[in-house]
Amino acid sequence: MRRTTRRRPTGPRRATFAAVALILGGGGLVATNIYASATEGSDGAAAQTGGATIDCPDVGAKLTEVPDAARTDVDNELAALDGQIAEAYQQLQEATPEQRQDTGFTDESIMNPLKEKRGGTIERIAVAIGNAGERPEGLEALAGCELTVPEEQPEGGQGGNGPVAADFADITTVQPNAQAPAAGEGASRGTFTTSCGVNENGVFNSDNVIVAPGVSNGAHHFHDYIGNQDNDAFASDEDLAAADTSCENQGDKSSYYWPVLRLQNGTQEQDADAPGGGIEGNAGEIVTPREVTLTFQGSPTGEVTAMPRLLRIITGDAKAFVNGTANANASWSCTGFEDRQLKDKYPLCPDGSDVVRTFKFQSCWDGRNIDSANHRTHVAFAAADGSCPAGFQAIPQLVQRIVYDVDAPSLDDGGRTKPLFAVDSFPEQLHKPVTDHGDFINVFDEDLMREMVDCINEGRQCDGGALPEEPQQPEEPQETGQPEQPEEPGQTQQPEEPQETGQPEQPEQSDEPQEPADPTPTGDDGATEPATQAPPAATPSEEPPADEAPSAGADKPKTYATPSAPPADDAPAEAVGTATASPTENPAAPVGAEQSPAAGTEPQTVGGSLADTGAQLWPAAAGSVLVLVGFVLLRRIRRGA
């Protein structure tokens, strides 16, 4: 069942209760927070209840090597761990406050049964991996979990679990700290940008097709999606390749996504009572970015190589507040101050400055894998000097810049005057900015990816939206002509020198005397006809004889040059340049009568005499002379062919 959400209603409401169940995707560190919070009631006080947290070891993080043959079974078992924690959460939620404080009750009714279930699931994971490779050791110790009742309820935020005033910093007090490695002589200095909108389509869900494929609500917080429009947990590689895209260049169907940013202003969004939303502590108004810039850049030490199709990259760590900052990669700043980057604080921007959120993705690839068991080891960050680790090669680095028009919150009153803002997170991460992260799946057309690599390696600055998505083959080329299509050179302004583009090498379009010709070029391959026609509007006197009735589509002629009315003395010359040869002279020759609009008149058939044909088009005296000229030109064309 697909869960992608596309539109959200808005409107201020009061959030009266939020109970949180945390199930980290992929069987990772699992914690369940039980808490309730409310915005100010009629008495001006915020109603809160006590909370509890279930902490379980991160099984998924320990599985750095999972054979491909075992991957599906392991994913299913990791999802089962999530379900077990969800069940324990439900039991804890249904317990009375007194029962939650009773260690004997919680151990017997909740924690011990949970440990037993987890033990069986972890054993199945170990067996699945062992059947396909080497059995992992030490997983059994990860079965037990810990229940903790906090002494104080987390403060701040609409959900009651953050952020707090200490999570913000005035950007004007930060010293410039943004540095880039110096580019060497062989650096690839080009850039390639792709424009995919700001999620104006309103595509959201709490899945994560990279971390938890096939697991509904695997992310446990909502994501913004741009680019690929088929991003839920159940999207296969084939689904991604066939999906629509919000990118300007339709050759980019890549998926770009990140946790939504919310204002803690009391607004109740569509997910207020849904998993991933209010049920898991992610509350408030979702803010649509004002601007999103996607730039791929080169390596300071050499050329880059193409990304493999369907490469997955995650940058940052959604669990960094609990796991530590080893994989954290958040960057927060303000427009006009982007030489100052914050890693563990949200920025307080001065008036007229917008919040900027930046992700710099890994730029080194192992040359073999599009993903890895922990979704990290197949890619790596470059060293301080820009070089890749041994065995890795440089790929274009995605730099994702997201700009929000939000005011600096009022910290002195807890965001009541101007609301706090924060990214969605797992509840135990308390919406800390250090937990910010971004996700990318490469679904670039291979030709467009090669164009990107060439652009970067050649030092050019390219806009993907301005590049052709495929070789241009316009149905109605203008008179300026298409040089890449020599069969339609578009020399309409020189009718006295028709180009030798009759394409005699295509005999399948040759003249058939026994069949009437199609009076319009609609039924023929217009690319084979000389581009020397400038068709004026036909007159009633130019209608074909009754036995030469127009075929279907005669009222929709193709135009191969800008319609215009040429001078009267030019029309015959243009017509002769494309007139049919006499069947008696060369009935099998590939002629233009069936293929050419002949200066705007209906093309003539080969069934009548050439004199009859000329009589329908021009004065008989002038027609015979011009026909002779046509014979000479057609012979010259055949000789050239």
Side-chain angles (χ1 to χ4, degrees), residues 201-546:
N201 296 336
V203 182
F204 308 99
N205 65 41
S206 59
D207 297 347
N208 193 323
V209 69
I210 297 178
V211 174
V215 179
S216 182
N217 192 38
H220 302 276
H221 50 261
F222 262 44
H223 289 121
D224 267 314
Y225 290 92
I226 63 173
N228 201 288
Q229 300 291 286
D230 192 355
N231 297 278
D232 64 23
F234 307 96
S236 65
D237 290 349
E238 293 74 16
D239 292 333
L240 293 171
D244 292 333
T245 179
S246 66
C247 299
E248 278 186 18
N249 193 313
Q250 297 295 295
D252 181 8
K253 294 189 177 184
S254 300
S255 181
Y256 308 86
Y257 59 103
W258 54 84
V260 299
L261 187 80
R262 297 186 195 245
L263 295 177
Q264 310 296 294
N265 60 1
T267 296
Q268 194 170 37
E269 288 279 14
Q270 62 181 0
D271 62 341
D273 299 316
I279 288 180
E280 297 182 88
N282 295 304
E285 179 184 349
I286 296 175
V287 182
T288 299
R290 181 176 66 80
E291 177 186 353
V292 176
T293 305
L294 306 172
T295 304
F296 293 86
Q297 59 189 30
S299 166
T301 62
E303 293 189 343
V304 296
T305 188
M307 293 181 179
R309 189 167 171 83
L310 297 170
L311 175 71
R312 273 91 163 148
I313 307 180
I314 297 174
T315 192
D317 185 0
K319 312 167 195 174
F321 185 60
V322 170
N323 288 353
T325 60
N327 292 315
N329 191 33
S331 291
W332 293 86
S333 189
C334 303
T335 55
F337 299 87
E338 291 182 60
D339 59 342
R340 314 169 191 204
Q341 296 291 325
L342 296 167
K343 299 298 184 183
D344 59 353
K345 304 287 184 182
Y346 295 116
L348 296 173
C349 300
D351 289 344
S353 178
D354 292 332
V355 171
V356 181
R357 181 182 180 190
T358 305
F359 302 114
K360 291 189 175 182
F361 284 71
Q362 294 87 319
S363 59
C364 301
W365 171 53
D366 68 6
R368 300 184 306 276
N369 302 296
I370 61 171
D371 200 0
S372 49
N374 61 3
H375 312 292
R376 295 188 183 276
T377 54
H378 64 297
V379 289
F381 288 99
D385 63 358
S387 62
C388 287
F392 284 70
Q393 53 192 272
I395 56 175
Q397 182 181 37
L398 171 60
V399 179
Q400 196 164 268
R401 180 176 175 269
I402 310 170
V403 181
Y404 297 92
D405 182 10
V406 294
D407 294 330
S410 55
L411 302 183
D412 54 349
D413 62 1
R416 287 181 175 83
T417 304
K418 293 184 179 179
L420 304 173
F421 61 83
V423 295
D424 268 20
S425 76
F426 298 113
E428 94 288 357
Q429 303 296 323
L430 305 183
H431 300 283
K432 299 298 183 182
V434 74
T435 66
D436 199 14
H437 56 283
D439 302 75
F440 167 69
I441 304 175
N442 169 37
V443 199
F444 269 86
D445 177 85
E446 292 181 359
D447 289 339
L448 188 57
M449 175 59 67
R450 281 193 292 270
E451 175 65 29
M452 177 199 297
V453 169
D454 290 344
C455 174
I456 292 173
N457 289 339
E458 293 169 6
R460 295 183 281 126
Q461 281 68 50
C462 301
D463 178 0
L467 295 174
E469 297 160 27
E470 58 186 13
Q472 297 299 298
Q473 296 180 349
E475 186 173 341
E476 299 183 0
Q478 300 301 307
E479 62 184 1
T480 53
Q482 300 291 338
E484 69 276 13
Q485 298 177 5
E487 66 276 14
E488 298 182 7
Q491 303 294 328
T492 58
Q493 62 272 40
Q494 298 179 5
E496 68 279 7
E497 294 182 11
Q499 303 301 307
E500 298 181 0
T501 54
Q503 302 294 337
E505 67 274 15
Q506 299 180 6
E508 67 277 9
Q509 297 175 355
S510 62
D511 183 6
E512 295 294 338
Q514 69 277 18
E515 296 180 3
D518 188 337
T520 74
T522 306
D524 298 319
D525 183 358
T528 63
E529 52 193 338
T532 57
Q533 309 116 14
T539 63
S541 62
E542 295 170 336
E543 296 177 358

Side-chain angles (χ1 to χ4, degrees), residues 47-48 91 100 104 126 136 149 152 161 169 235 257 295 343 390 449 485 534 572 610 637:
Q48 294 187 346
Q91 292 173 324
R100 293 184 203 138
V149 178
E152 296 182 1
N161 64 337
Y257 59 103
T295 304
K343 299 298 184 183
M449 175 59 67
Q485 298 177 5
L610 189 57
I637 290 171

Side-chain angles (χ1 to χ4, degrees), residues 42 52 158 246 562:
S42 57
Q158 183 175 332
S246 66
T562 303

